[in-house]
Coordinates of all heavy atoms in Angstrom, one line a residue:
V1 N 151.9 147.3 117.7 CA 152.0 146.6 116.5 C 152.9 147.3 115.5 O 153.7 146.6 114.8 CB 150.6 146.4 115.9 CG1 150.6 145.9 114.4 CG2 149.8 145.4 116.7
G2 N 152.8 148.6 115.4 CA 153.6 149.4 114.5 C 155.1 149.2 114.8 O 155.9 149.4 113.9
V3 N 155.5 149.0 116.0 CA 156.9 148.8 116.4 C 157.3 147.4 116.2 O 158.4 147.1 115.7 CB 157.1 149.3 117.8 CG1 158.5 149.0 118.3 CG2 156.9 150.9 117.9
A4 N 156.5 146.5 116.7 CA 156.8 145.0 116.8 C 157.0 144.4 115.4 O 158.0 143.7 115.2 CB 155.8 144.3 117.6
V5 N 156.1 144.7 114.5 CA 156.1 144.0 113.2 C 157.4 144.4 112.4 O 158.1 143.4 112.0 CB 154.9 144.4 112.4 CG1 155.0 143.9 110.9 CG2 153.6 143.8 113.0
P6 N 157.8 145.6 112.3 CA 159.1 145.9 111.6 C 160.3 145.3 112.3 O 161.2 144.8 111.7 CB 159.2 147.4 111.5 CG 157.8 147.9 111.6 CD 157.1 146.9 112.6
L7 N 160.3 145.4 113.6 CA 161.4 144.9 114.4 C 161.6 143.4 114.2 O 162.7 142.9 114.0 CB 161.3 145.2 115.9 CG 161.5 146.6 116.3 CD1 161.3 146.8 117.8 CD2 162.9 147.1 116.0
L8 N 160.5 142.6 114.2 CA 160.6 141.2 114.0 C 161.0 140.8 112.6 O 161.6 139.7 112.4 CB 159.2 140.5 114.3 CG 158.9 140.5 115.8 CD1 157.4 140.1 116.0 CD2 159.8 139.6 116.6
W9 N 160.8 141.7 111.6 CA 161.3 141.4 110.3 C 162.8 141.8 110.2 O 163.6 141.0 109.6 CB 160.6 142.3 109.3 CG 159.3 141.7 108.8 CD1 158.0 141.9 109.3 CD2 159.1 140.7 107.7 NE1 157.1 141.1 108.6 CE2 157.8 140.4 107.6 CE3 160.0 140.1 106.8 CZ2 157.3 139.5 106.7 CZ3 159.5 139.2 105.9 CH2 158.2 138.9 105.8
L10 N 163.2 142.9 110.8 CA 164.5 143.4 110.5 C 165.6 143.0 111.4 O 166.8 142.7 111.0 CB 164.5 145.0 110.5 CG 163.5 145.6 109.4 CD1 163.5 147.1 109.6 CD2 163.9 145.2 108.0
V11 N 165.3 142.9 112.7 CA 166.4 142.6 113.7 C 167.0 141.2 113.6 O 168.2 141.0 113.5 CB 165.9 142.9 115.1 CG1 166.9 142.4 116.2 CG2 165.7 144.4 115.3
P12 N 166.1 140.2 113.5 CA 166.7 138.8 113.3 C 167.5 138.7 112.0 O 168.5 138.0 112.0 CB 165.5 137.9 113.4 CG 164.4 138.7 114.1 CD 164.6 140.1 113.7
E13 N 167.0 139.3 111.0 CA 167.7 139.3 109.7 C 169.1 139.9 109.8 O 170.1 139.4 109.3 CB 166.9 140.0 108.6 CG 167.4 139.9 107.2 CD 167.4 138.5 106.7 OE1 168.4 137.7 107.0 OE2 166.5 138.2 106.0
Y14 N 169.2 141.0 110.6 CA 170.5 141.6 110.8 C 171.4 140.8 111.6 O 172.6 140.6 111.3 CB 170.3 143.0 111.4 CG 171.6 143.8 111.6 CD1 172.2 144.4 110.5 CD2 172.2 143.8 112.8 CE1 173.4 145.1 110.7 CE2 173.4 144.4 113.0 CZ 174.0 145.1 111.9 OH 175.2 145.8 112.1
I15 N 170.8 140.1 112.6 CA 171.6 139.2 113.5 C 172.1 138.1 112.6 O 173.3 137.6 112.8 CB 170.8 138.7 114.7 CG1 170.4 139.9 115.6 CG2 171.5 137.6 115.4 CD1 169.5 139.5 116.7
G16 N 171.3 137.5 111.8 CA 171.7 136.4 111.0 C 172.5 136.6 109.8 O 173.3 135.7 109.3
S17 N 172.5 137.9 109.2 CA 173.2 138.1 108.0 C 174.0 139.4 108.0 O 174.8 139.6 107.1 CB 172.2 138.2 106.8 OG 171.4 139.4 106.9
G18 N 173.8 140.3 109.0 CA 174.5 141.5 109.0 C 173.9 142.6 108.1 O 174.5 143.6 107.8
N19 N 172.7 142.2 107.5 CA 172.0 143.1 106.6 C 170.6 143.2 106.9 O 169.9 142.2 106.8 CB 172.3 142.6 105.1 CG 171.6 143.4 104.1 OD1 170.9 144.4 104.4 ND2 171.7 143.0 102.8
F20 N 170.1 144.4 107.3 CA 168.7 144.5 107.6 C 167.8 144.1 106.5 O 166.7 143.6 106.7 CB 168.4 146.0 108.0 CG 168.8 146.4 109.4 CD1 169.9 147.3 109.6 CD2 168.3 145.8 110.5 CE1 170.3 147.6 110.8 CE2 168.7 146.1 111.8 CZ 169.7 147.1 112.0
F21 N 168.2 144.3 105.3 CA 167.3 144.1 104.1 C 167.8 142.9 103.2 O 167.5 142.9 102.0 CB 167.3 145.4 103.3 CG 166.9 146.6 104.1 CD1 167.8 147.6 104.5 CD2 165.6 146.8 104.5 CE1 167.5 148.7 105.2 CE2 165.2 147.9 105.2 CZ 166.1 148.8 105.6
R22 N 168.4 142.0 103.9 CA 168.8 140.8 103.1 C 167.7 140.1 102.5 O 167.7 139.5 101.4 CB 169.6 139.8 104.1 CG 170.6 138.9 103.4 CD 169.9 137.6 102.8 NE 169.0 136.9 103.6 CZ 168.5 135.7 103.3 NH1 168.7 135.2 102.0 NH2 167.7 135.1 104.1
A23 N 166.5 140.0 103.2 CA 165.3 139.4 102.7 C 164.9 140.0 101.4 O 164.5 139.3 100.4 CB 164.2 139.4 103.7
A24 N 164.9 141.3 101.3 CA 164.5 142.0 100.1 C 165.5 141.7 99.0 O 165.1 141.5 97.8 CB 164.4 143.5 100.3
D25 N 166.8 141.7 99.3 CA 167.8 141.4 98.3 C 167.6 140.0 97.7 O 167.7 139.7 96.5 CB 169.2 141.5 98.9 CG 169.5 143.0 99.3 OD1 168.8 143.9 98.8 OD2 170.4 143.1 100.1
R26 N 167.3 139.0 98.7 CA 167.1 137.6 98.2 C 165.9 137.5 97.3 O 165.9 136.8 96.4 CB 166.9 136.8 99.5 CG 166.6 135.3 99.2 CD 167.7 134.6 98.4 NE 167.4 133.2 98.1 CZ 166.7 132.8 97.1 NH1 166.2 133.7 96.2 NH2 166.5 131.5 96.9
A27 N 164.8 138.2 97.6 CA 163.6 138.2 96.9 C 163.8 138.7 95.4 O 163.0 138.4 94.6 CB 162.5 138.9 97.5
Q28 N 164.9 139.5 95.2 CA 165.1 140.0 93.9 C 166.2 139.2 93.2 O 166.7 139.6 92.1 CB 165.5 141.5 94.0 CG 164.4 142.3 94.5 CD 164.7 143.8 94.6 OE1 164.8 144.5 93.6 NE2 165.1 144.2 95.8
D29 N 166.7 138.2 93.8 CA 167.7 137.3 93.1 C 167.1 136.3 92.2 O 166.5 135.3 92.7 CB 168.6 136.6 94.2 CG 169.7 135.8 93.7 OD1 169.9 135.8 92.4 OD2 170.4 135.2 94.4
L30 N 167.1 136.5 91.0 CA 166.4 135.7 90.0 C 167.3 134.7 89.2 O 166.9 134.2 88.2 CB 165.6 136.6 89.0 CG 164.7 137.7 89.6 CD1 164.1 138.5 88.5 CD2 163.7 137.1 90.5
K31 N 168.5 134.5 89.8 CA 169.5 133.7 89.1 C 168.9 132.3 88.7 O 169.2 131.8 87.6 CB 170.7 133.6 89.9 CG 171.9 132.8 89.3 CD 173.1 132.7 90.2 CE 174.2 131.9 89.5 NZ 175.4 131.8 90.4
Y32 N 168.2 131.7 89.7 CA 167.7 130.4 89.5 C 166.2 130.3 89.2 O 165.6 129.3 89.5 CB 168.1 129.5 90.7 CG 169.6 129.4 90.9 CD1 170.3 130.1 91.8 CD2 170.3 128.5 90.1 CE1 171.6 130.0 92.0 CE2 171.7 128.3 90.3 CZ 172.3 129.1 91.2 OH 173.7 129.0 91.4
L33 N 165.7 131.5 88.8 CA 164.2 131.5 88.5 C 164.0 132.1 87.1 O 163.5 133.1 86.9 CB 163.6 132.5 89.6 CG 163.7 132.1 91.0 CD1 163.1 133.2 91.9 CD2 163.0 130.8 91.3
P34 N 164.4 131.3 86.1 CA 164.2 131.8 84.7 C 162.8 132.0 84.3 O 162.5 132.7 83.3 CB 164.9 130.7 83.9 CG 164.8 129.5 84.8 CD 165.0 129.9 86.2
W35 N 161.9 131.4 85.1 CA 160.4 131.5 84.8 C 159.8 132.7 85.4 O 158.6 133.0 85.1 CB 159.7 130.3 85.3 CG 160.0 130.0 86.7 CD1 160.9 129.1 87.2 CD2 159.5 130.7 87.9 NE1 161.0 129.2 88.6 CE2 160.1 130.1 89.0 CE3 158.5 131.7 88.1 CZ2 159.8 130.5 90.3 CZ3 158.3 132.1 89.4 CH2 158.9 131.5 90.5
S36 N 160.5 133.5 86.2 CA 160.0 134.6 86.9 C 159.3 135.6 86.0 O 159.9 136.1 85.0 CB 161.1 135.3 87.7 OG 160.6 136.5 88.3
P37 N 158.1 136.1 86.4 CA 157.4 137.1 85.6 C 158.2 138.4 85.6 O 158.0 139.3 84.6 CB 156.1 137.4 86.4 CG 155.9 136.1 87.1 CD 157.2 135.6 87.4
A38 N 159.1 138.6 86.5 CA 159.9 139.8 86.5 C 160.8 139.9 85.3 O 161.3 141.0 84.9 CB 160.7 139.9 87.8
L39 N 161.1 138.8 84.7 CA 162.0 138.7 83.5 C 161.2 138.8 82.2 O 161.8 138.8 81.2 CB 162.8 137.4 83.6 CG 163.7 137.2 84.8 CD1 164.4 135.8 84.8 CD2 164.8 138.3 84.9
A40 N 159.9 138.8 82.3 CA 159.1 138.9 81.1 C 159.1 140.3 80.6 O 159.4 141.3 81.3 CB 157.6 138.5 81.5
P41 N 158.8 140.5 79.3 CA 158.8 141.8 78.7 C 157.8 142.8 79.3 O 158.0 144.0 79.4 CB 158.4 141.6 77.2 CG 158.8 140.2 77.0 CD 158.6 139.5 78.2
D42 N 156.7 142.2 79.8 CA 155.6 143.0 80.5 C 155.3 142.3 81.8 O 154.4 141.5 81.8 CB 154.4 143.1 79.6 CG 153.2 143.8 80.2 OD1 153.5 144.5 81.2 OD2 152.1 143.8 79.7
P43 N 156.0 142.5 82.9 CA 155.8 141.8 84.1 C 154.4 142.0 84.7 O 153.8 141.0 85.1 CB 156.8 142.5 85.1 CG 157.9 143.0 84.2 CD 157.2 143.4 83.0
T44 N 153.8 143.2 84.6 CA 152.4 143.4 85.0 C 151.4 142.6 84.2 O 150.5 141.9 84.8 CB 152.0 144.9 85.0 OG1 152.9 145.6 85.9 CG2 150.6 145.1 85.4
G45 N 151.6 142.6 82.9 CA 150.7 141.7 82.1 C 150.8 140.3 82.4 O 149.8 139.5 82.5

């Protein structure tokens, strides 16, 4: 499990985009998410 889970996340993403961490980059792209709590003065609150 410790080997399979990371591989299934990272390898197809690299095959499809050339970037192992493209999913993480996409999750932080807030260009079209003006409502995102990450843009609030206090995200945790």
Side-chain angles (χ1 to χ4, degrees):
V1 165
V3 172
V5 170
L7 285 179
L8 287 170
W9 275 94
L10 300 177
V11 172
E13 184 67 274
Y14 183 78
I15 293 172
S17 69
N19 179 359
F20 284 113
F21 304 104
R22 204 281 307 185
D25 296 340
R26 174 63 178 85
Q28 296 180 79
D29 182 2
L30 308 179
K31 179 180 179 181
Y32 296 101
L33 302 175
W35 49 264
S36 171
L39 301 175
D42 179 14
T44 296

